[in-house]
Amino acid sequence: MDFTLKIWRQDGPEAKGKFVTYQIKNISHDCSFLEMLDQLNEQLVDKIEKPVCFDHDCREGICGMCSLYINGRPHGNDSGITTCQLHMRKFKDGDTIVIEPWRAKAFPIIKDLVVSRTAFDKIIQEGGYVSINTGGVPDGNAIAISKVDSDLAMDAAQCIGCGACVAACKNASAMLFVSAKVSQFALLPQGKPEAKERVEKMVAKMDELGFGNCTNTGACEAECPKEIKLTNIARLNREFYAAKLS
Amino acid sequence: MTVLNSKIPQGPVSEKWTYYKAHQNLVNPANKRKLDIIVVGTGLAGASAAASLGELGFNVKIFCYQDSPRRAHSIAAQGGINAAKNYQNDGDSVYRLFYDTIKGGDYRAREANVHRLAEVSNNIIDQCVAQGVPFARDYGGLLDNRSFGGAQVSRTFYARGQTGQQLLLGAYSALSRQIKKGTVKMYNRTEMLDVVIVDGKARGIITRDLTTGKIERHFGHAVVLGTGGYGNVFFLSTNAMGSNGSAAWQVYKRGACMANPCFTQIHPTCIPVHGDYQSKLTLMSESLRNDGRIWVPKKKEDAEAIRAGKLKPTQIKEEDRDYYLERRYPAFGNLVPRDVASRAAKERCDAGFGVGSGLAVYLDFSSAIERLGKNVIEQRYGNLFQMYEKIVDENPYETPMMIYPAVHYTMGGIWVDYELQTTIPGLFATGEANFSDHGANRLGASALMQGLADGYFVLPYTIQNYLSADIRTPRMSTDLAPFAEAEKNVQDKINRLMSIQGKNSVDSFHKRLGHIMWEKVGMARTKESCTAAISEIKALRQEFWKDVRVTGSATEFNPELEKALRVADFLELGELMAKDALNREESCGGHFREEYQTAEGEADRQDDKFMYVAAWEYQGDGKEPILNKEPLVYENIKVAQRNYK
Ligand SMILES: Cc1cc2nc3c(=O)[nH]c(=O)nc-3n(C[C@H](O)[C@H](O)[C@H](O)COP(=O)(O)OP(=O)(O)OC[C@H]3O[C@@H](n4cnc5c(N)ncnc54)[C@H](O)[C@@H]3O)c2cc1C
Ligand code: SF4
Ligand code: FES
């Protein structure tokens, strides 16, 4: 398969960026999207040009590092997957593919398609944990937790922190990400003692870091590679108002 | 020559750890604040250590090359984590986990370390549950277990197919809490490029800020490496793209020993290679072997017809299928340890019975679906099936999966004593980066256990025994000569790489190295293949240093330079692996020397000659390393030929 690629190139955080067009030929159906970019980069190195920078590590949809905005959609035109799980068989021979970085004030561009998502770490540092130290905890089976709650907590805990929800949202809101962590702990007895403080602090940090407000458009849920549900945002709101009222 | 002192405490094996803890030196709270500890790596081993040390009151600096500590390679672990809880009442115990791990490792691991690992395994589960890790539960609300290869009990705890993710996020949450408190300072997108030794002790590291290229010096009273394994020396592996052996290699060159570097685990259930552009291999969790049955056609004609696309696997009649693991190993069947399963697959494919490209076997769920229903299988493995379908474009509910072995884990690593300290005082190694617990073969679900055991429950004790003698050592200035020397060493290497301006890309060298390693130091090794590998790697290394092309500059975000630095080290490490494989004239665990096999094709250990840890010591560029031997003594387990029949 042959493709025309329009890729966002930007030398550094302060530099001005622009789209650059590349042609790539003879790509196999079974090739992954990032392997297609690897081949482009090999060609660029061959021509003594700078390869296109993009983030990636596990290449199996779990580390949350890959982050490409492909033809107007975070992680491309398939559902329930990350960029690294996208395969070229999802495109048509001869397609033009536009590749951009995540765009959000809170995720500054480092270079080309690479952005900084340190803001997500800062939100977790505000309360995305149970405040216990190593050792001195009860037996793992000391408290029974209903399978239903534990499964729901696991659904939320699957978030990989990729930031596609922010990239998909016209307000660049981080609500889906924050709600996933808040929900995981809200559903489990271990998380209860700190529930009030957790939700208040995490939401305040999110606002402070420049993420936008949630206006319930649902674009985040549609693009989330781990299919994190909007019901988590509803749960976050309940937790948040309960905290405010108490 | 280094004297290897494993510092194993006195007493019966089941009391050694208790004895150690009761007699070790500790650091009092007021002094902890005055001590700085550097932790490199934010995987299970690094994050759990840094969080625990921060809680104790030490000043910790932690580093990772990814954009966030949560993305360390541990995140990708799927299947589960072992513990000797015996919640299933099926006869498990600390002793049994200890025994299974030593036996699974083919009697090449240290008894005392492994027993301690089994002892603390239960604390890990308690700790993770308290953190809010959503382990799988049964309908009564209690924790669920599954079975894994190499064990006859159900002792594996899991969180769907994302156990590593949930455990790592647990450790990351504990780490985040300490970062907020200010006891731990996080350096992401920062790569360690050398260790600094002052007066014979590890006192710091040199790093490169990956976003700006800035080289920096960091002081620590002690340095801990939790930098993971080096499986990517094979280019294609199930490791993350950035996983590397560089930190281990830097400390090796500064005097730490590399132990059993040839012990590599080849995992039996990975998606087969499909093209030369391929960048990595994907693991299909071993837990699939609980319900999936592995087979190839009994008749060569059928295998040929399948390869030619003229027959489908579903058209092969039951009696024409060879369930070769069930046939050869009736007691364990599809649940034999990884090394055994991998070699058996290679044996069938080499004999001409492979499917797909010829290098693949089937993993079939049809009888499990018939027995349990599609629903149950979907609940157990839904996400894995979906992952398979996304990659291969075939539906495993309808047609068997195709799998083939791939490089997965390195049992070898930095030599450490009972305290997890290397031969450089003040330098510790945890998790996959050290060699200690898995011998010649690691059992499934035991790496997560070891990483967290080291980080939560072992290192926070043992490091204090070292640091207690250091409470009067003030923080050192990074202007000291050894820091300047190490920085210059790093800068020179970078300058040299940037100035070559050759014709071939870094990846092209990495692929060629991977090819040599896979063909000659892979699943089956011989004297000839190892000898050939050594000279081929030497030649490739020379070519690399003459002809590699690193584009861009060293003072910017430059992934080509990052890769070049790692491949330069792989080109040296690969040679040491081949040397170690050549030296070890026996077959054990994942190390299979074709010359040493029984009449049935099983590994033939040479206990009288090789019951030792091979700890290699660097002597300088171009010089032969020294081989130090740590004899292995088995006092609690009767050494036997592993038998899974
Ligand atoms: C696909 C897959 C599935 C697996 N499934 C299981 C399973 O089900 N059960 C099980 O027990 N085990 C499993 N394993 C093995 C297990 O995941 C690993 O052995 C384990 O997670 C290693 O943890 P670690 O903390 O030692 O290292 P890693 O998680 O590899 O972390 C290494 C860290 O070091 C950092 N680092 C490396 N070099 C440098 C440097 N020079 N400078 C700065 N930072 C550096 C990295 O950034 C990273 O943070 C699996 C492995 C794979 C590949
Ligand atoms: S909620 Fe979904 S899209 Fe957002 S960070 Fe988590 S996994 Fe990514
Ligand atoms: S590279 Fe890890 S999720 Fe894509």
Side-chain angles (χ1 to χ4, degrees), chain B residues 5-62:
Chain B
N5 178 1
S6 51
K7 294 200 217 136
I8 295 172
Q10 61 179 65
V13 73
S14 58
E15 285 161 33
K16 286 182 193 295
W17 182 229
T18 312
Y19 178 88
Y20 177 90
K21 286 191 291 184
H23 293 85
Q24 71 162 123
N25 294 318
L26 294 170
V27 179
N28 86 25
N31 286 326
K32 285 188 185 121
R33 254 177 278 133
K34 295 186 212 147
L35 294 170
D36 297 351
I37 301 174
I38 286 175
V39 178
V40 189
T42 61
L44 289 178
S48 57
S52 305
L53 292 168
E55 289 162 7
L56 288 170
F58 292 102
N59 281 302
V60 183
K61 284 180 168 184
I62 186 166

Side-chain angles (χ1 to χ4, degrees), chain B residues 178-192:
Chain B
Q178 294 309 308
I179 294 174
K180 175 70 186 176
K181 283 195 169 167
T183 57
V184 178
K185 190 161 166 28
M186 177 72 225
Y187 295 81
N188 55 359
R189 292 199 196 265
T190 305
E191 186 149 339
M192 164 188 172

Side-chain angles (χ1 to χ4, degrees), chain A residues 53-68:
Chain A
C53 295
F54 57 90
D55 263 334
H56 64 106
D57 203 25
C58 74
R59 295 208 177 184
E60 53 184 69
I62 192 71
C63 74
M65 191 103 174
C66 61
S67 45
L68 300 181

